[in-house]
Amino acid sequence: MESIRAPFRGVAQDVRGRASCYKHDWLAGIRSGLGILAPTMYIFFASALPVIAFGEQLSSETDGSLSTVETLASTAICGIIHSILGGQPLLILGVAEPTVIMYTYLYNFAEGKEDLGKDLFLAWAGWVCVWTALFLFMLAIFNAGSIIVRFTRVAGETFGMLIALLFIQEAIKGIVGEFNIPEGEDTDSEKYQFQWLYTNGLLAIIFSFGLLYTALKSRKARSWLYGTGLLRGFIADYGVPLMVLVWTMLSYSGPGKLPSGVPRRLFSPLPWDSASIYHWTVIQDMGKVPPVYVFAAIVPAIMVAGLYFFDHSVASQLAQQKEFNLKKPSAYHYDMLLLGFMTLLCGLIGLPPSNGVLPQSPMHAKSLAVLERQNIRKKMVRSAKESMKEQASKLEIYNKMQNVFIEIDSSSVANSELKDLKDAVMNTSDGRTEKESQLKVVSELKDLKDVVLNTSDGKKETESFDPDKHIDGNLPVRVNEQRVSNLLQSLLVAASIFAMPVIKLIPSSVLWGYFAYMAIDSLPGNQLWERLTLLLVSPGRRYRVLEGDHASFVESVPFRSIVGFTLFQSAFLLLCYGVTWIPIAGILFPAPFFLLVSIREHILPKLFQPNYLRELDAAEYEEIAGAPRQLFSGPLTSRDRETIQSGNVNVEPEVCDAEILDELTTNRGEIKVRALSFHDENHIQVHPHDAPAA
Amino acid sequence: MESIRAPFRGVAQDVRGRASCYKHDWLAGIRSGLGILAPTMYIFFASALPVIAFGEQLSSETDGSLSTVETLASTAICGIIHSILGGQPLLILGVAEPTVIMYTYLYNFAEGKEDLGKDLFLAWAGWVCVWTALFLFMLAIFNAGSIIVRFTRVAGETFGMLIALLFIQEAIKGIVGEFNIPEGEDTDSEKYQFQWLYTNGLLAIIFSFGLLYTALKSRKARSWLYGTGLLRGFIADYGVPLMVLVWTMLSYSGPGKLPSGVPRRLFSPLPWDSASIYHWTVIQDMGKVPPVYVFAAIVPAIMVAGLYFFDHSVASQLAQQKEFNLKKPSAYHYDMLLLGFMTLLCGLIGLPPSNGVLPQSPMHAKSLAVLERQNIRKKMVRSAKESMKEQASKLEIYNKMQNVFIEIDSSSVANSELKDLKDAVMNTSDGRTEKESQLKVVSELKDLKDVVLNTSDGKKETESFDPDKHIDGNLPVRVNEQRVSNLLQSLLVAASIFAMPVIKLIPSSVLWGYFAYMAIDSLPGNQLWERLTLLLVSPGRRYRVLEGDHASFVESVPFRSIVGFTLFQSAFLLLCYGVTWIPIAGILFPAPFFLLVSIREHILPKLFQPNYLRELDAAEYEEIAGAPRQLFSGPLTSRDRETIQSGNVNVEPEVCDAEILDELTTNRGEIKVRALSFHDENHIQVHPHDAPAA
């Protein structure tokens, strides 16, 4: 392979590319002023809560060897390093579920060996990290990032479903555990007498289901009918941490006669306890690990390296989807190298390593797109109002606005040389010159132009252009690409380590509910899940599924093929789930997913008709041009529009920025607009002007 | 008033009208065969469950003087009498919430008086019933039923909201009560120790919220995407009793170490206990009531009579909405007379009386419409297939089907004389002859004719007529008007009295959840509720409300008028709610509603523009012709149809009979199709042929 023959090529390109905009990365963030705090807080809460939950899971799985302090510390340290030295600052790092599962296997293995035991667990895990780092270096140096285009949704979605399954399993295990005495506790303690154990269990059911229900409801707040847009937006963005707060407060409403310890709360040492301080000396113990185990660590290291390579790249990729119209270059290879260094560091100080996380990374990009939108809108409205005051013609008004937009756009990329570089790095060169890139902007602004010049479709001619109203719906997407929000949220995570005494007030049952929430929240948008539920829909109702955005396959693929593909994928999922139950070989659980990528490329095309396969699981190398769909028409259906026009409801429909983006993305952060159906392919070739320049 | 000058006129007309079809009432039921069991079971469960819940409420409010046995007995006795001797057999009788509230006031009053006390409570309540019966006789004799047209939605809906408020209050009181020791119980008993009281309370929260959530979900089962139509229909029809069963079973899953009595279960004596047997001798105690209290009983009696007059008439009216196309005459006056006799009977044997209940009565009519639809469909498909076998022309096929329909239609009304009688009774005479009534059928069958002759709108010409598929969506509504289902369900209620040992297994907390369910389930379709929530919708989203069926006023009435009307109505509601809290004068709580009817007629038209008032609260005497709307187009939107036609989904959309009716009615059983908006009035006058003969 070519990529192996040119080591460091990818890393070098990445470094050059990002270095040229490094200064702007900081300036853009600082120039945003206080506005940057909105995405910062949003990502901080979205990122800290799972890390706390994983810490609690890790603590109960490793008998307290690792806990919330360690997961928070790893997230904070890696986050700070990545935000300053990383390539793609949109990428958010954190301790993720696969890491927790791997560490659980490592612990179970170490605990069972006499010459390792609980004492040398962290030291041995350190060796696993050393090997992992080595593999990651190699992947980065030999440009493995370029094979990312071979990953299709089938492997990613099956893995996502496995994680959801494990979350549900964790939630159930957790709730059942609330009815029992935890291992190694004093069975004579008052709180472990039958009546209080039972009370604790009942409270756990109430808190976990309460959190699950309210969190799921608040997640959808943006589309609620009631309340102001601001309130709805706030609840949708911060509802889940808010609900954790509410249920934690409710857990203190029990009568005073309850013995202390009912309900059970988070179990974690404080960061200044000796158990936490010990981590700084893990490196000294690494020499005590017997050589045979040092080499045995290679096996889990291969798995972890594979997982991280996969997760880190996909998280980065989803934060850089082409619909975000990013202007700065990517840095897959360099980020992989840096991830290796961070894994090494975490291993040496006995922390579970962090990697790029989903869905937080695309959420980050999305929230920065909302910020940038507000920024652009403000400048363009000002320009339009100034022109209107000078009684400029419509065309003059539009031209001024276009110049403002081009200015904002070009400021983020230092010079055209960089543009060429980006093309080279991304392999997306299409020979465009500066001139052509301006032409692209013009086509992106076409909708706005139509509105300003009143040439849209002849319908609304009576309505004259009002900058306050009409600019909003017609702006192309731009993301405020900078490093400040990422750095700030990492610093907040670091600060929350010292808020451990407060975090420990959360009842553990609230976290079990949160696990169930994470599982259920990850399902919509996962096509495997959607196809599985489709099997339960009676034939007469399948047409209703068509109303969803993701479901074009219902129309274009015969039901038998859908069933066949879904059954194959489900069987594979069950196999993988089965592997996680095998005591020690369970550590190999990521292996089937690496296998799946290869099965998809070589075996599936023989079993399913290529057209159908492309509909169900489009790999990038098979994709056809994007669908001609107006991206920001907002969530109004044509029926809504008619209703508004016919009635005397004289208020403009209210659609806020974040809602527009919500409608367009799955819960995992993927843009929903899919590759065209193969039915439409010919049509596009005949009328290429129908498709907007993507 | 004319009606007072002609006593007994209404009753006599009713008796004549119903007598002429009395024999058919029984034959029609018997001819339906086993099909009649579906509506029977449906109404039995819908009717028995609230009666059980009210019995438990009454038991806790009257310290056990009355309980579930008595409410079930009253419902069974009155139901059997009404199904055999009653005028309108579609009307379902039962002990309702207003009765329970009145009896609670009666009990509190009697308990506080030394010369009445708990012992003479039932005897005194007997006197209240005697007076009530007297007032009801007078209302029936002097044709009060004819003023029913003066009742507008404003009074009924405000009353409905009050009942919902009281249900919620009952649910909260019930759940809080589970944390406390019930009055008059032994505080030393093990189950009343703190830890078990607390456990009982937590279990109550789980069971009541569990029931509430699952019942609300199962209610909507018919529109679920998943599962077969049969399963969905079953869950929608029987989901609530099913959920009571499920949660009762779950309540037995607690560990064996729980003391008996945790969780608390229904408290009721058995029907063969002495407390129940005492009721047969209540009449002997009535002589012991001091004369002053015999006359004091007139005050509550006026209230009860007013309530019953209102409730019984409205329940009957909603079961006979014109959209049901009933063929047999109404009997408002005679049914009121019979209600008087039944109230007297219940009073003498110490039972709380029953009256016509909502929403069960319109639910009954609806389920019988579904039954009749299946029946008509079967006969018409058979006729069409026979004709097609004989290779008849399209027109011949249609004519044969039309004859079948006319035959079914005319069999239910004995002769045309009866028709005239009905017109006279209902005051709906429009001079139609037999011929004209056949013309009406022809216009009702127009859609079917279009489908058969393929002349619909030129679109589907390629599709030929298939009796199995195309008859379904194009049949006019007919109700199987008979007495058998009502009698059978009353007998089932009677049988369930002897199943008390099983009913007593239900945890009381499940019933508190059921109260909350009844409250929440009654809100959709209540315009006061819908307008209240509209106030919380931000202006930019009000257009979404328009998508609902009930909300034409959003378009046609200025928002200020909506707010004004809603605030007035809410203030009135709060006033009424406040009255229920006054210790003894609370017994007057129905009085404000009688007042409201008069306020609506004389004061509101001065405060609000008549057009707007008509939109918000159309009285029958102000109503304009019905909207030209195809009734049974089914719940498909135009978008669905397009989707079906464009895609290759080659399965007919599945729409079952009950679902069609579900979509058209509010939870209270009202047909949703509203009077036309005043905007359209002129249009209708210009093109009268657009409006179908109603």
Side-chain angles (χ1 to χ4, degrees), chain A residues 283-299:
Chain A
I283 194 169
Q284 297 175 350
D285 288 346
M286 284 176 70
K288 296 183 200 157
V289 175
V292 57
Y293 293 118
V294 171
F295 287 100
I298 293 181
V299 178

mmCIF file of all heavy atoms in Angstrom, chain A residues 283-299:
data_model
loop_
_atom_site.group_PDB
_atom_site.id
_atom_site.type_symbol
_atom_site.label_atom_id
_atom_site.label_comp_id
_atom_site.label_asym_id
_atom_site.label_seq_id
_atom_site.Cartn_x
_atom_site.Cartn_y
_atom_site.Cartn_z
ATOM 1 N N ILE A 283 3.792 4.377 38.218
ATOM 2 C CA ILE A 283 4.934 4.072 37.343
ATOM 3 C C ILE A 283 6.015 3.273 38.067
ATOM 4 O O ILE A 283 6.687 2.419 37.474
ATOM 5 C CB ILE A 283 5.501 5.386 36.736
ATOM 6 C CG1 ILE A 283 6.449 5.074 35.566
ATOM 7 C CG2 ILE A 283 6.192 6.237 37.791
ATOM 8 C CD1 ILE A 283 6.827 6.291 34.765
ATOM 9 N N GLN A 284 6.151 3.512 39.380
ATOM 10 C CA GLN A 284 7.153 2.760 40.158
ATOM 11 C C GLN A 284 6.816 1.273 40.209
ATOM 12 O O GLN A 284 7.698 0.421 40.258
ATOM 13 C CB GLN A 284 7.215 3.289 41.594
ATOM 14 C CG GLN A 284 7.662 4.740 41.658
ATOM 15 C CD GLN A 284 7.608 5.286 43.072
ATOM 16 O OE1 GLN A 284 7.077 4.644 43.974
ATOM 17 N NE2 GLN A 284 8.175 6.471 43.262
ATOM 18 N N ASP A 285 5.482 0.971 40.226
ATOM 19 C CA ASP A 285 5.064 -0.432 40.317
ATOM 20 C C ASP A 285 5.198 -1.176 38.997
ATOM 21 O O ASP A 285 5.168 -2.405 38.971
ATOM 22 C CB ASP A 285 3.600 -0.519 40.764
ATOM 23 C CG ASP A 285 3.445 -0.146 42.233
ATOM 24 O OD1 ASP A 285 4.477 -0.097 42.933
ATOM 25 O OD2 ASP A 285 2.301 0.083 42.670
ATOM 26 N N MET A 286 5.337 -0.416 37.897
ATOM 27 C CA MET A 286 5.324 -1.085 36.601
ATOM 28 C C MET A 286 6.500 -2.031 36.430
ATOM 29 O O MET A 286 6.394 -3.046 35.738
ATOM 30 C CB MET A 286 5.277 -0.057 35.457
ATOM 31 C CG MET A 286 3.887 0.551 35.299
ATOM 32 S SD MET A 286 3.785 1.848 34.067
ATOM 33 C CE MET A 286 3.972 0.950 32.547
ATOM 34 N N GLY A 287 7.604 -1.725 37.097
ATOM 35 C CA GLY A 287 8.759 -2.622 37.061
ATOM 36 C C GLY A 287 8.498 -3.935 37.775
ATOM 37 O O GLY A 287 9.162 -4.941 37.499
ATOM 38 N N LYS A 288 7.520 -3.932 38.672
ATOM 39 C CA LYS A 288 7.260 -5.155 39.446
ATOM 40 C C LYS A 288 6.404 -6.164 38.690
ATOM 41 O O LYS A 288 6.229 -7.289 39.140
ATOM 42 C CB LYS A 288 6.517 -4.787 40.747
ATOM 43 C CG LYS A 288 7.326 -3.902 41.694
ATOM 44 C CD LYS A 288 6.542 -3.666 42.975
ATOM 45 C CE LYS A 288 7.055 -2.438 43.715
ATOM 46 N NZ LYS A 288 6.033 -1.872 44.603
ATOM 47 N N VAL A 289 5.831 -5.749 37.557
ATOM 48 C CA VAL A 289 4.984 -6.670 36.793
ATOM 49 C C VAL A 289 5.866 -7.730 36.136
ATOM 50 O O VAL A 289 6.836 -7.385 35.455
ATOM 51 C CB VAL A 289 4.196 -5.896 35.712
ATOM 52 C CG1 VAL A 289 3.411 -6.865 34.829
ATOM 53 C CG2 VAL A 289 3.274 -4.880 36.354
ATOM 54 N N PRO A 290 5.548 -9.031 36.337
ATOM 55 C CA PRO A 290 6.359 -10.091 35.744
ATOM 56 C C PRO A 290 6.386 -9.975 34.219
ATOM 57 O O PRO A 290 5.357 -9.658 33.612
ATOM 58 C CB PRO A 290 5.639 -11.379 36.161
ATOM 59 C CG PRO A 290 4.786 -10.995 37.323
ATOM 60 C CD PRO A 290 4.437 -9.559 37.140
ATOM 61 N N PRO A 291 7.572 -10.216 33.591
ATOM 62 C CA PRO A 291 7.726 -10.019 32.140
ATOM 63 C C PRO A 291 6.666 -10.728 31.315
ATOM 64 O O PRO A 291 6.201 -10.189 30.311
ATOM 65 C CB PRO A 291 9.113 -10.592 31.850
ATOM 66 C CG PRO A 291 9.835 -10.501 33.145
ATOM 67 C CD PRO A 291 8.812 -10.623 34.228
ATOM 68 N N VAL A 292 6.220 -11.917 31.741
ATOM 69 C CA VAL A 292 5.249 -12.641 30.938
ATOM 70 C C VAL A 292 3.977 -11.820 30.785
ATOM 71 O O VAL A 292 3.352 -11.781 29.725
ATOM 72 C CB VAL A 292 4.966 -14.047 31.525
ATOM 73 C CG1 VAL A 292 4.488 -13.966 32.957
ATOM 74 C CG2 VAL A 292 3.953 -14.794 30.658
ATOM 75 N N TYR A 293 3.598 -11.096 31.843
ATOM 76 C CA TYR A 293 2.387 -10.284 31.754
ATOM 77 C C TYR A 293 2.628 -9.005 30.960
ATOM 78 O O TYR A 293 1.713 -8.479 30.348
ATOM 79 C CB TYR A 293 1.847 -9.968 33.152
ATOM 80 C CG TYR A 293 1.352 -11.213 33.848
ATOM 81 C CD1 TYR A 293 1.926 -11.662 35.032
ATOM 82 C CD2 TYR A 293 0.320 -11.960 33.280
ATOM 83 C CE1 TYR A 293 1.486 -12.817 35.652
ATOM 84 C CE2 TYR A 293 -0.121 -13.123 33.890
ATOM 85 C CZ TYR A 293 0.455 -13.547 35.075
ATOM 86 O OH TYR A 293 0.027 -14.692 35.665
ATOM 87 N N VAL A 294 3.879 -8.528 31.012
ATOM 88 C CA VAL A 294 4.197 -7.354 30.196
ATOM 89 C C VAL A 294 3.907 -7.667 28.733
ATOM 90 O O VAL A 294 3.330 -6.861 28.011
ATOM 91 C CB VAL A 294 5.667 -6.938 30.378
ATOM 92 C CG1 VAL A 294 6.059 -5.863 29.358
ATOM 93 C CG2 VAL A 294 5.913 -6.461 31.804
ATOM 94 N N PHE A 295 4.295 -8.896 28.308
ATOM 95 C CA PHE A 295 4.052 -9.252 26.913
ATOM 96 C C PHE A 295 2.611 -9.675 26.677
ATOM 97 O O PHE A 295 2.042 -9.434 25.626
ATOM 98 C CB PHE A 295 5.047 -10.323 26.458
ATOM 99 C CG PHE A 295 6.418 -9.743 26.282
ATOM 100 C CD1 PHE A 295 7.409 -9.897 27.256
ATOM 101 C CD2 PHE A 295 6.701 -8.974 25.148
ATOM 102 C CE1 PHE A 295 8.651 -9.310 27.111
ATOM 103 C CE2 PHE A 295 7.952 -8.395 24.995
ATOM 104 C CZ PHE A 295 8.921 -8.565 25.977
ATOM 105 N N ALA A 296 1.990 -10.301 27.691
ATOM 106 C CA ALA A 296 0.567 -10.660 27.546
ATOM 107 C C ALA A 296 -0.278 -9.412 27.313
ATOM 108 O O ALA A 296 -1.354 -9.472 26.695
ATOM 109 C CB ALA A 296 0.073 -11.390 28.792
ATOM 110 N N ALA A 297 0.217 -8.248 27.798
ATOM 111 C CA ALA A 297 -0.535 -6.999 27.637
ATOM 112 C C ALA A 297 -0.695 -6.604 26.172
ATOM 113 O O ALA A 297 -1.504 -5.738 25.838
ATOM 114 C CB ALA A 297 0.151 -5.872 28.412
ATOM 115 N N ILE A 298 0.082 -7.261 25.287
ATOM 116 C CA ILE A 298 -0.041 -6.924 23.854
ATOM 117 C C ILE A 298 -1.438 -7.237 23.328
ATOM 118 O O ILE A 298 -2.007 -6.472 22.546
ATOM 119 C CB ILE A 298 1.035 -7.681 23.031
ATOM 120 C CG1 ILE A 298 2.424 -7.146 23.397
ATOM 121 C CG2 ILE A 298 0.784 -7.526 21.537
ATOM 122 C CD1 ILE A 298 3.554 -7.803 22.635
ATOM 123 N N VAL A 299 -2.009 -8.375 23.801
ATOM 124 C CA VAL A 299 -3.322 -8.772 23.271
ATOM 125 C C VAL A 299 -4.383 -7.701 23.557
ATOM 126 O O VAL A 299 -5.020 -7.190 22.630
ATOM 127 C CB VAL A 299 -3.740 -10.153 23.825
ATOM 128 C CG1 VAL A 299 -5.116 -10.526 23.300
ATOM 129 C CG2 VAL A 299 -2.709 -11.205 23.448
#
